[in-house]
Amino acid sequence: MAARQEDPGQRRQASPAWARDASTKYLLEFERYFSGGAGSFGALHEQALLRQLAGCGLRSLAWRLFLQVLPVDPASWELLTKEHRRLYSLAKTTYSDYTDVNDTRIRCEVNNPLSHDEQSPWHRLFEHADLRRVIEQDVVRTMPDVALFRDEHVCRCMTDVLFVFMQKHPEVDYVQGMHELLAPIIYLLRREYSNFADVRAAHRANHYMLEKLLKMMDWSSSVNRRREYEEMQRAPPPAPDLLHPPLFAKDRASPSVNQWGPSPCNRAVRRHLCMIDYDLYLKLAELGVEPQVFGLKMFRLLFGREFRLSELCSVWDALLADSHATSTLDLVPYVFCAILIYNRRQILEREGMEALTLLLNLPPLPDIAGCIAFALHIRNPLDYSKPNNFPPPPPVSPRKPAASKIRLRRRSVERSKSAVGQPKSEGGSGSASPARPRSMTQPPPMSAPGRTGLVGLARSGSETVVSRSASATVAAATDLVTYGPPPVAMKDVSALRGKHALLASSEASAYAVMESKQTSTPPEWNPGLTGMPCKVRRAVLRQTLCVETMDRLLQNKEVDLRTLRELVNVQKQLLRDLWPFGGGWSPQPQCPRQPPDGTSDEESAPPSLSTPVPEGVYPPSATADIVEEVTPEDGSAPHSNGLPAVGVSPAYDTLAVDVANLSMSEATEQR
Amino acid sequence: MSYAYLFKYIIIGDTGVGKSCLLLQFTDKRFQPVHDLTIGVEFGARMITIDGKQVKLQIWDTAGQEAFRSITRSYYRGAAGALLVYDITRRDTFNHLTTWLEDARQHSNSNMVIMLIGNKSDLESRRDVKREEGEAFAREHGLIFMETSAKTAANVEEAFINTAKEIYEKIQEGVFDINNEANGIKLGPQHSPAAAGGMAAGGLGGSQGGGCC
């Protein structure tokens, strides 16, 4: 990744010679990104992900490529564009053609304005008029603070696009918010077109290439932008996973089912946030806020309310570029998580209504590059390193001098060494949730060597030479646990060897954090340093079980493939069960935690939209039997304070040990 | 800040009638001529005083479009009060009141206080629904009625506060079971059983007091 970053963006800034001349700039950009030659699209793609397209004058063209409105090869662009424009014009006139109301061949009982017959041309006319009115009513409210959208012509254009789109896609109902997806496209095309028009005036017909560009920019004239929106609507929604049910699909299910597809938000939190920022996850669970309450907007409008318009385009660069290969907006849930994590401190600090108010009105995010980089990183930590200042480091607190912190930590190391094997019932994290899967039962007491397996492995890593693959596993795990500047390039295994000790120390510092929990400052985002050791283990596991790492292991060693698969399955199952909303267990904690002063539980926030599943019921799953095997059956109750106590993360610990033992035996073998 | 009661409100009505503007005027005392569309729900809160007691209003502002109706419905249940809003310059928003009311009655608790609000009263020249019609509708369905203007702030405070007063009275009469949070009412943390002496019987259990099990 680092190697890729050197590319054009920076070089462009470094060469003022062509930056000075706008027309040359266009030419070079075209040459570099749109020539269709080897690597040009790849370069464009990279630039988009790195937020380097902001200065590009042909950004809308890039979007068209990402959305597959146009193919990568420029040869057919002109032809295709003409065709798009023709089709759009045709559609527009066809759908707005009501001449059949004068058609005398239709029986006049049907063909009259008062007819209730659905076949009546009048019926269609009135329906269309209604739809137009509804759309228009929303369109005039697009982005109140952007002057462009107060323009009558623009509003009419947007209404037309949406109207034609609705006609072309009868399976989709018009839903408020669609116009806000159209807005950035209109904005971008308008801006680029007017910029380009200036250049054209100055350099009329000087270059053959410029002429060619002229034609291309012509696409962004009012006609084609409509087509593009249609394409946009068409292209992303196939995402079967993310947008299921599709963003704006009609509600065909029973009325009890939420038609607006809340699942993406809930899933993003359950699947990703839970693993990336457990404290925040617990906080949300504790607040009782379903992610869809604040997440719906972000998913529906693709962050249109979270960023300023110009910045939004940068975010979309990345979203669209990323979606090119798969035609799914795969990055969206990760950006969603990144936004939450960026605001984590504020969220963790607040209680009840204040927290809710914040969640529903998150402040604009200044660091877009960081946000995108972070989203890419949390999706694929092995390929993308963590950006340095995201989430932002905390302000230095004068109350906690560094020296005492170190002392505390050292003490904790001692403690963790002795206490690894013992369940610990304290650990009152202020943000910890009472939520705890009741369907999970406690494991049988594990032998000390078993319990210390993973930690032991990590510790030994600093002293002993372990196999390359095993060290990669631990390194991957370690990195997740000890995320923090400076980021570690995952591929550099040798550099990582020294990091193994970090696993142990992070576990120790987790104790330290627990001890210092009395202070009201919320923990920093740093999965390994924020909470209880079992959480650390969870994070470790997540990475340990990361399929890619597994693959790596498998490539080098003869590890039992079936065992690994099962472990991964179990992990997935457990994660599913962990989330209190709509998972396999009841959202109500068995024993609600009462705040000491009663102030913090004042509001239970929005009414839950989910249907609680009876306690102890696992969702039907192919892996259910595996869970049975792994989960011990002693049926002991969860902790009374609802917190997963240290070392008592039931199945996780079992798994952790299994995985650790696996890696250890592998390491031994190699030796 | 401590409070004696917390009331949950919901604002419902057709799209574009000024629900979000009413909320903004009430919580922030300002008016935004063009307001962002509400996608899903928005949320606002403000403290008011009734009968010398601090009452916190937690207000859920919902999207008006039919497509969001299923979301809106799930908010009725936990609400003590509802502001049902129509636009006096658009008759269709008045015509849809029956549907809204049916929906609200069906999905809320039976004691929910509903205030009918004819908004945009500043636009007298474009008036499409007579004041008397609103009054008649309210009378017929047992609602409180007011005409407001989120723009000039006329009657906005009153609309929210009168609803709260009505809820408060119902509490005094013992109509609401304050221990059941599904009613949209919660006792404040400092509201000890002694302080709530005048309350209806069965008002206060120990569970609200903050004792841990």
Side-chain angles (χ1 to χ4, degrees):
Chain A
M1 193 65 197
R4 294 179 202 154
Q5 284 182 6
E6 53 161 33
D7 226 21
Q10 285 168 15
R11 233 182 290 154
R12 192 173 62 210
Q13 282 159 12
S15 40
W18 57 265
R20 252 182 274 121
D21 185 336
S23 65
T24 322
K25 177 171 171 288
Y26 277 114
L27 288 175
L28 282 175
E29 276 174 354
F30 184 81
E31 195 82 324
R32 198 186 302 276
Y33 301 132
F34 302 101
S35 59
S40 72
F41 183 73
L44 180 70
H45 192 264
E46 282 303 321
Q47 292 305 300
L49 289 183
L50 293 172
R51 201 185 153 249
Q52 301 279 359
L53 281 187
C56 177
L58 300 168
R59 203 185 201 171
S60 61
L61 195 52
W63 285 15
R64 258 169 275 187
L65 300 194
F66 295 150
L67 291 168
Q68 302 183 17
V69 176
L70 295 174
V72 173
D73 179 19
S76 57
W77 287 358
E78 206 178 321
L79 210 68
L80 269 175
T81 306
K82 277 186 182 150
E83 180 64 7
H84 286 166
R85 293 165 73 177
R86 191 184 66 77
L87 286 174
Y88 179 78
S89 302
L90 186 71
K92 206 174 134 193
T93 43
T94 316
Y95 292 129
S96 313
D97 177 16
Y98 306 109
T99 46
D100 52 356
V101 296
N102 299 323
D103 192 340
T104 49
R105 283 168 300 173
I106 308 175
R107 288 182 302 129
C108 66
E109 298 90 75
V110 174
N111 192 4
N112 77 73
L114 299 177
S115 164
H116 287 289
D117 196 314
E118 288 196 7
Q119 301 303 316
S120 165
W122 290 93
H123 177 79
R124 191 170 134 266
L125 191 149
F126 290 137
E127 256 196 353
H128 284 190
D130 276 346
L131 177 61
R132 272 187 177 278
R133 205 173 43 242
V134 167
I135 294 173
E136 207 175 344
Q137 183 180 305
D138 291 342
V139 161
V140 295
R141 289 170 69 182
T142 311
M143 304 198 178
D145 45 351
V146 181
L148 174 70
F149 299 111
R150 305 282 79 75
D151 182 303
E152 230 174 83
H153 172 75
V154 171
C155 285
R156 202 166 41 242
C157 163
M158 288 175 76
T159 311
D160 282 344
V161 177
L162 289 168
F163 175 76
V164 170
F165 177 75
M166 299 318 301
Q167 296 307 315
K168 283 186 77 170
H169 299 271
E171 76 280 5
V172 179
D173 265 339
Y174 173 73
V175 176
Q176 291 182 327
M178 287 178 169
H179 64 296
E180 287 192 47
L181 283 182
L182 177 59
I185 297 177
I186 299 265
Y187 165 82
L188 183 67
L189 291 171
R190 269 271 172 151
R191 203 184 56 176
E192 289 194 353
Y193 188 65
S194 61
N195 286 350
F196 189 75
D198 295 343
V199 177
R200 178 171 55 170
H203 301 270
R204 187 174 300 277
N206 269 350
H207 287 267
Y208 166 67
M209 273 296 277
L210 193 62
E211 280 302 316
K212 203 169 166 188
L213 278 174
L214 256 171
K215 281 181 194 151
M216 263 177 284
M217 287 313 292
D218 236 1
W219 305 338
S220 55
S221 65
S222 62
V223 179
N224 191 62
R225 70 180 62 149
R226 296 157 196 182
R227 175 70 188 169
E228 182 171 5
Y229 178 64
E230 290 166 26
E231 289 300 328
M232 162 145 183
Q233 284 290 318
R234 196 178 57 79
D241 187 34
L242 168 67
L243 302 174
H244 182 75
L247 220 52
F248 294 109
K250 256 187 192 169
D251 177 24
R252 287 201 197 78
S254 64
S256 64
V257 176
N258 287 318
Q259 68 196 55
W260 39 281
S263 45
C265 323
N266 285 359
R267 197 166 19 209
V269 172
R270 187 174 66 227
R271 279 198 191 156
H272 310 309
L273 192 69
C274 169
M275 289 291 103
I276 303 155
D277 192 337
Y278 193 62
D279 281 313
L280 195 53
Y281 165 80
L282 286 179
K283 178 75 180 181
L284 295 180
E286 186 189 33
L287 284 170
V289 186
E290 265 194 278
Q292 63 200 4
V293 171
F294 54 87
L296 181 73
K297 255 189 307 188
M298 298 194 215
F299 277 78
R300 273 268 168 99
L301 308 179
L302 297 179
F303 311 105
R305 302 263 174 97
E306 279 66 39
F307 299 96
R308 285 202 307 273
L309 194 48
S310 55
E311 293 161 344
L312 180 64
C313 291
S314 291
V315 177
W316 278 30
D317 283 344
L319 293 183
L320 301 183
D322 187 71
S323 72
H324 175 259
T326 53
S327 288
T328 64
L329 291 166
D330 184 46
L331 200 57
V332 173
Y334 297 95
V335 175
F336 170 68
C337 288
I339 291 175
L340 288 180
I341 291 171
Y342 186 86
N343 293 292
R344 70 186 306 281
R345 199 164 350 113
Q346 287 81 351
I347 298 172
L348 289 175
E349 269 169 5
R350 283 162 215 224
E351 292 298 332
M353 261 199 250
E354 281 70 34
L356 202 60
T357 313
L358 176 72
L359 280 169
L360 278 158
N361 306 286
L362 288 170
L365 204 68
D367 184 9
I368 298 147
C371 177
I372 297 299
F374 188 74
L376 289 166
H377 170 69
I378 57 182
R379 183 176 65 178
N380 196 348
L382 293 174
D383 287 347
Y384 295 92
S385 54
K386 182 185 166 295
N388 269 328
N389 287 315
F390 198 102
V396 182
S397 162
R399 283 189 298 163
K400 281 207 274 175
S404 72
K405 222 176 185 176
I406 292 167
R407 210 165 46 237
L408 184 65
R409 194 166 289 183
R410 195 168 297 148
R411 186 150 41 91
S412 321
V413 173
E414 295 304 315
R415 209 168 119 199
S416 73
K417 273 181 187 160
S418 60
V420 194
Q422 298 155 15
K424 203 172 158 208
S425 54
E426 59 191 67
S429 153
S431 63
S433 160
R436 179 186 165 82
R438 271 180 284 161
S439 50
M440 282 161 81
T441 50
Q442 285 190 357
M446 274 185 276
S447 65
R451 188 176 284 280
T452 50
L454 189 56
V455 178
L457 172 73
R459 282 207 192 111
S460 69
S462 56
E463 303 148 16
T464 334
V465 181
V466 291
S467 78
R468 186 187 162 88
S469 56
S471 76
T473 313
V474 178
T478 310
D479 188 60
L480 189 93
V481 177
T482 55
Y483 271 140
V488 183
M490 294 307 302
K491 283 160 187 159
D492 190 357
V493 176
S494 63
L496 287 167
R497 202 164 282 156
K499 284 201 77 186
H500 295 168
L502 286 176
L503 184 59
S505 68
S506 71
E507 176 130 351
S509 40
Y511 283 98
V513 172
M514 273 164 51
E515 282 182 29
S516 61
K517 267 283 158 67
Q518 286 83 351
T519 62
S520 60
T521 31
E524 277 324 299
W525 184 80
N526 193 336
L529 302 176
T530 47
M532 296 142 288
C534 74
K535 183 176 75 188
V536 175
R537 294 206 184 96
R538 247 171 242 179
V540 169
L541 255 173
R542 185 252 180 180
Q543 203 67 2
T544 314
L545 292 175
C546 161
V547 179
E548 282 174 60
T549 319
M550 290 292 170
D551 286 346
R552 245 181 239 190
L553 274 171
L554 290 169
Q555 278 164 17
N556 299 335
K557 294 279 145 245
E558 288 177 12
V559 182
D560 182 2
L561 179 64
R562 218 178 125 257
T563 316
L564 287 172
R565 287 265 156 77
E566 277 177 9
L567 286 172
V568 172
N569 283 338
V570 172
Q571 169 81 356
K572 282 181 186 162
Q573 177 69 50
L574 288 170
L575 290 183
R576 233 171 284 145
D577 293 338
L578 261 175
W579 179 240
F581 305 115
W585 52 289
S586 162
Q588 288 304 312
Q590 196 166 30
C591 176
R593 219 161 47 89
Q594 295 291 334
D597 56 356
T599 47
S600 56
D601 78 329
E602 59 178 49
E603 43 278 273
S604 52
S608 173
L609 304 184
S610 62
T611 329
V613 179
E615 164 186 4
V617 176
Y618 272 103
S621 151
T623 55
D625 50 340
I626 303 172
V627 174
E628 296 271 326
E629 278 170 36
V630 175
T631 314
E633 291 172 11
D634 67 358
S636 43
H639 263 264
S640 60
N641 64 356
L643 298 172
V646 175
V648 197
S649 169
Y652 277 97
D653 271 11
T654 324
L655 280 174
V657 171
D658 286 355
V659 173
N661 286 342
L662 205 75
S663 315
M664 269 177 119
S665 61
E666 180 203 22
T668 324
E669 270 171 40
Q670 204 193 36
R671 235 177 292 143
Chain B
M1 201 161 148
S2 67
Y3 53 85
Y5 296 100
L6 172 88
F7 295 164
K8 283 190 191 172
Y9 278 17
I10 178 169
I11 313 183
I12 51 175
D14 273 8
T15 194
V17 296
K19 296 181 293 298
S20 301
C21 288
L22 279 171
L23 178 62
L24 192 68
Q25 183 60 259
F26 181 65
T27 56
D28 290 29
K29 298 199 189 315
R30 63 192 171 93
F31 176 71
Q32 205 173 318
V34 185
H35 198 286
D36 270 324
L37 274 171
T38 306
I39 305 291
V41 287
E42 298 284 348
F43 174 79
R46 206 188 114 180
M47 197 78 90
I48 58 170
T49 311
I50 292 175
D51 197 15
K53 292 197 170 69
Q54 293 283 340
V55 174
K56 193 162 193 174
L57 299 185
Q58 189 194 70
I59 308 152
W60 290 93
D61 170 27
T62 64
Q65 204 200 8
E66 178 74 34
F68 294 93
R69 200 65 67 88
S70 65
I71 309 174
T72 322
R73 283 197 190 108
S74 58
Y75 284 81
Y76 287 130
R77 207 152 45 103
L83 303 189
L84 172 54
V85 189
Y86 69 93
D87 176 354
I88 65 156
T89 69
R90 278 164 55 206
R91 178 155 291 273
D92 56 326
T93 67
F94 181 75
N95 294 341
H96 294 155
L97 287 179
T98 326
T99 326
W100 281 109
L101 199 60
E102 272 171 16
D103 224 41
R105 289 255 154 92
Q106 194 185 337
H107 295 93
S108 68
N109 67 73
S110 53
N111 295 317
M112 183 165 82
V113 174
I114 304 176
M115 159 81 82
L116 180 66
I117 289 178
N119 193 31
K120 310 199 185 175
S121 63
D122 55 296
L123 300 174
E124 193 57 50
S125 57
R126 283 164 49 192
R127 181 187 278 276
D128 199 14
V129 183
K130 287 197 206 100
R131 193 191 155 81
E132 293 73 36
E133 292 177 85
E135 281 170 349
F137 186 92
R139 226 179 5 254
E140 191 185 328
H141 295 92
L143 318 173
I144 329 169
F145 175 69
M146 268 193 158
E147 281 198 350
T148 63
S149 165
K151 189 174 181 180
T152 65
N155 271 346
V156 173
E157 292 268 313
E158 289 80 353
F160 284 89
I161 291 173
N162 289 357
T163 311
K165 279 183 183 157
E166 182 90 4
I167 297 169
Y168 184 76
E169 276 168 25
K170 281 198 174 186
I171 294 174
Q172 302 299 321
E173 290 163 14
V175 176
F176 273 118
D177 173 12
I178 17 181
N179 282 330
N180 184 357
E181 268 181 39
N183 284 331
I185 298 168
K186 216 171 182 183
L187 282 178
Q190 99 292 15
H191 213 69
S192 67
M199 305 271 315
L204 295 159
S207 65
Q208 293 282 341
C212 186
C213 40

